[in-house]
Amino acid sequence: MITGQQLNEYRDRGYLVLEGFASEAECDELRTRAAELVQQFDPAEVVSIFSTYEQNRLTDDYFLTSGDKIRFFFEENAFNDDGTLKYKKEKSINKIGHALHDLDPVFGKFSRSDKIKQLASAMGFEDSLLLQSMYIFKQPNIGGEVTCHQDSTFLYTEPLDIAGLWFALEDATTENGCLWVIPGGQQRGLKSRWVRAPQGGMKFETFDETPWPEDQLVPLEVSKGSLILLHGLLPHRSFENRSTRSRHAYTLHLIKASAKYPEDILLKRRGPPRGF
Ligand SMILES: O=C(O)CCC(=O)C(=O)O
């Protein structure tokens, strides 16, 4: 599943690509299920625009209380000036989050499969909890960028120890907005933390003002079925998708059962996260 050498590589660089981790059939099953969920979703219920620039909007209640729900977030550029959608609903949604792994049987089966459990165990997350999941569409033409960040900024635990699992459900290239990482950047420590602001909403508590050395970013072009493991402190980002091809991915974030996380952690959920 994962060799000692790969584990060392993960520790040194902060990421690891495991090609062919998910089968074609598994990828297609998740894609089909996501399409069904979108079909059942009525956009009139809510319009919540996901953008890493507009933290105020991002912090709206719909987002902050989605830790134990299946909710839908639109691309920022999905709308015309009059608020109508530019493209069809299924080509406008940025992501679904954040409890697919708990609430949906298809995503649940995949997320709690033996091979993911074994991998988690090999990474030292044998006693882990599945904190959140996301289905990211990176839509053709309008897929928004995700600015450089560390996942631990948003999923803060004490000690700082989370693992991100990013599954490519389609080929991801520089054209359609693949992930970019700063190899070894996890060694720089945590740059900021997202906390609840006293006046409501969220704010960043910054520990290190130094800008990310984005000239050190390298693209991770991967084929469908690949899994990218991301250390919680690894700086990473993705650029806009201006191509005509989507770039679907499914992500899972694991924390250790022994870890503590403060009350002001990003997403509220009723009840603690569950393990495998
Ligand atoms: O899939 C992407 O484009 C970026 C996802 C990401 O970095 C994240 O959700 O933390």
Side-chain angles (χ1 to χ4, degrees):
M1 161 110 6
I2 185 168
T3 64
Q5 193 182 337
Q6 285 174 313
L7 272 177
N8 286 339
E9 201 180 304
Y10 173 71
R11 287 187 193 116
D12 287 350
R13 298 192 194 164
Y15 71 94
L16 185 71
V17 178
L18 296 174
E19 280 172 27
F21 184 90
S23 67
E24 284 268 329
E26 284 172 319
C27 294
D28 292 343
E29 202 181 355
L30 297 184
R31 292 190 53 182
T32 302
R33 183 61 190 146
E36 285 168 6
L37 291 171
V38 170
Q39 221 40 54
Q40 290 158 16
F41 166 64
D42 177 4
E45 279 170 25
V46 66
V47 174
S48 183
I49 302 172
F50 179 80
S51 155
T52 44
Y53 281 132
E54 295 181 276
Q55 297 302 341
N56 288 340
R57 275 209 256 180
L58 181 116
T59 55
D60 69 14
D61 238 32
Y62 185 75
F63 185 83
L64 287 176
T65 56
S66 65
D68 56 359
K69 301 187 182 67
I70 295 178
R71 286 189 167 166
F72 300 79
F73 303 90
F74 286 98
E75 293 284 357
E76 189 181 357
N77 292 324
F79 297 92
N80 295 305
D81 290 343
D82 63 2
T84 55
L85 286 175
K86 284 186 199 161
Y87 301 96
K88 287 189 198 155
K89 163 178 80 168
E90 53 274 23
K91 296 283 180 219
S92 304
I93 293 171
N94 170 289
K95 68 176 179 179
I96 310 176
H98 287 91
L100 285 159
H101 62 294
D102 281 336
L103 302 178
D104 183 79
V106 176
F107 283 94
K109 183 181 76 167
F110 178 75
S111 307
R112 292 190 158 86
S113 58
D114 282 345
K115 65 179 169 185
I116 296 184
K117 188 177 170 183
Q118 280 166 25
L119 175 70
S121 193
M123 293 170 71
F125 280 73
E126 53 281 327
D127 210 8
S128 61
L129 304 174
L130 284 67
L131 184 61
Q132 72 163 47
S133 51
M134 294 189 280
Y135 190 100
I136 305 174
F137 292 85
K138 205 69 153 177
Q139 299 284 4
N141 307 307
I142 57 167
E145 73 170 326
V146 176
T147 55
C148 203
H149 66 282
Q150 297 166 304
D151 289 342
S152 289
T153 290
F154 302 97
L155 302 172
Y156 179 85
T157 62
E158 290 167 359
L160 282 170
D161 212 356
I162 67 162
L165 279 61
W166 190 100
F167 301 91
L169 304 182
E170 293 185 287
D171 293 349
T173 66
T174 51
E175 273 79 44
N176 67 354
C178 67
L179 283 186
W180 291 66
V181 299
I182 300 180
Q186 80 285 1
Q187 287 156 17
R188 301 167 68 97
L190 186 65
K191 189 170 166 56
S192 64
R193 216 191 115 184
W194 218 34
V195 292
R196 290 190 190 271
Q199 66 275 24
M202 304 292 290
K203 64 172 181 139
F204 285 103
E205 189 183 331
T206 302
F207 311 117
D208 175 3
E209 299 281 355
T210 326
W212 294 118
E214 296 214 22
D215 55 332
Q216 292 174 22
L217 281 164
V218 298
L220 299 183
E221 294 195 295
V222 294
S223 51
K224 178 177 176 181
S226 298
L227 164 59
I228 301 178
L229 300 177
L230 294 165
H231 189 288
L233 289 172
L234 185 79
H236 62 284
R237 65 166 297 158
S238 65
F239 291 92
E240 291 171 329
N241 182 9
R242 291 283 170 257
S243 80
T244 52
R245 285 187 305 118
S246 56
R247 193 234 61 195
H248 292 199
Y250 177 59
T251 69
L252 257 184
H253 282 91
L254 308 181
I255 60 172
K256 292 194 173 160
S258 54
K260 293 196 173 34
Y261 54 90
E263 274 299 292
D264 54 6
I265 194 167
L266 172 59
L267 300 175
K268 282 208 172 131
R269 48 154 59 239
R270 283 160 300 174
R274 287 194 288 119
F276 284 97

